[in-house]
Amino acid sequence: MTPLETTRVDLIVIGAGPAGMAAAATAAAHGAQVLLLDEQPQAGGQIYRDVERVAPLRGALLGPDYRHGLGLAAGLREQGVQHVRGAAVWMVEPGYRVTYSCGQHSALAEAPQLILATGALERPMPLPGWTLPGVMTAGAAQILLKQSGVVTQRAVLIGSGPLLYLVAAQLCAAGAAPLAMLETQTPPDFRRALAHLGGALRGWRYLIKGAAMLRALRRAGVPRYTAVQDVHMEGEGAVQAVRFTAQGRAQRIACETVLLNHGVVPHTQIARAMDIEHRWDESAQASRPSRGPPPRSAQAARSAGEGEGMALRRR
C-alpha cells in the first residue's frame, strides 16, 4: 500500500467559515504554520459562501454583513495560510493526524494543535409535504441566491429565527417579496424570551438589524402570521399551496416555493467521531461540545464558532 502524502504543520483548522478563517489567519499572523481544510471550493463557509467571486456581482443585494467576509478571505492569502479546497475530512486521530480526501486522492496532515470550526446545520423541520419539489430550507434558497443568482419565486417562508427574516428581506431586495411569513413562535414563547432581554440589549446592534429586516417586510407588504400550527404542503408533482391554522383560523396560500427554517444546530459530526464529550444546551435545544480545562500540553484540540471557541473535553 502506497503511504499517504503527509503534510506537517503547527496547526490544522477544519472549516473555512468565518471562525475558521479568522482562527487560521490569526495563528499565521503570530508565526504558526497553518493548514486550513474545507470541503467547499472557495473559502467563506455558509455565511460568506464564495464571497470573493460573489461580492462584486451581488454584494449590494446581499448586504454589508456579507461583504465583511472579503476581509477574512483576503487575510488567508496575506498571512500565507495553506488552504486546501474541496477537502473532505474522514478521520481525526490523536496526535493530531487528520486524513482527508481531495478529488481522487487522499492525504494525511499532522499537527500538535487542532481547531474544529465546522459551523452549523439547519435544524431539520419535517412537515407533511416537505419532500415535494419546491420545498427546501431557507439556507438552501440563500445558497442559490449567493452562488448562482437564482431568486426563488412566489415563496412562503415557514418557521422562526433570524435566518428566516434575513432571507425574506433579501428576497424583497431582489424584487421577489415572499407571499407570506408563517411564524411558529407563540405568545408564551415571547414571554419566555423576555428573560433574556438583558443579553439582547447588550447585543443592541443585532436588534437594530432585526428591526431593519422587519421594516423591509412591511414596506414590501409581506403578510406575517404568528402562532402557526397544522402546516401542510400540498401539490401534484411539486408544491402548489400551503395549508395552516393561525389564530384559530384555517388558511391556504397558493405558492411555487416553500422555505423552511427553525434555527441552526452545531455541526458536531467530527467532534463526535473524535469521542469528544457533548452536553445538551437547553436554550438552543441542541448538543454542543463540552467545555474542557485550559490545555496544559503542547497538544490540544479546540473549537471555534458554533462550538463556542473552547478547549474540547474527551470522554
Side-chain angles (χ1 to χ4, degrees), residues 113 293-300 302 311:
Q113 303 282 332
R296 295 180 179 274
S297 67
Q299 293 184 347
R302 299 173 175 85

Side-chain angles (χ1 to χ4, degrees), residues 261-306:
N261 181 267
H262 236 119
V264 298
V265 295
H267 192 311
T268 61
Q269 283 88 334
I270 292 179
R272 289 187 182 278
M274 293 173 62
D275 202 29
I276 298 297
E277 183 179 305
H278 285 65
R279 60 180 174 82
W280 180 252
D281 184 337
E282 186 65 28
S283 63
Q285 291 289 290
S287 292
R288 294 184 182 276
S290 294
R291 297 173 183 265
R296 295 180 179 274
S297 67
Q299 293 184 347
R302 299 173 175 85
S303 64
E306 289 295 328

Side-chain angles (χ1 to χ4, degrees), residues 82-100:
Q82 185 178 348
H83 177 200
V84 180
R85 299 167 172 83
V89 173
W90 49 271
M91 184 164 63
V92 180
E93 301 172 275
Y96 288 90
R97 292 162 52 90
V98 176
T99 311
Y100 63 94

Side-chain angles (χ1 to χ4, degrees), residues 33-53:
Q33 289 184 302
V34 181
L35 178 67
L36 175 63
L37 303 175
D38 190 78
E39 63 183 358
Q40 297 298 325
Q42 301 296 334
Q46 299 301 329
I47 293 178
Y48 300 132
R49 176 176 285 268
D50 204 2
V51 64
E52 292 188 295
R53 181 185 69 86

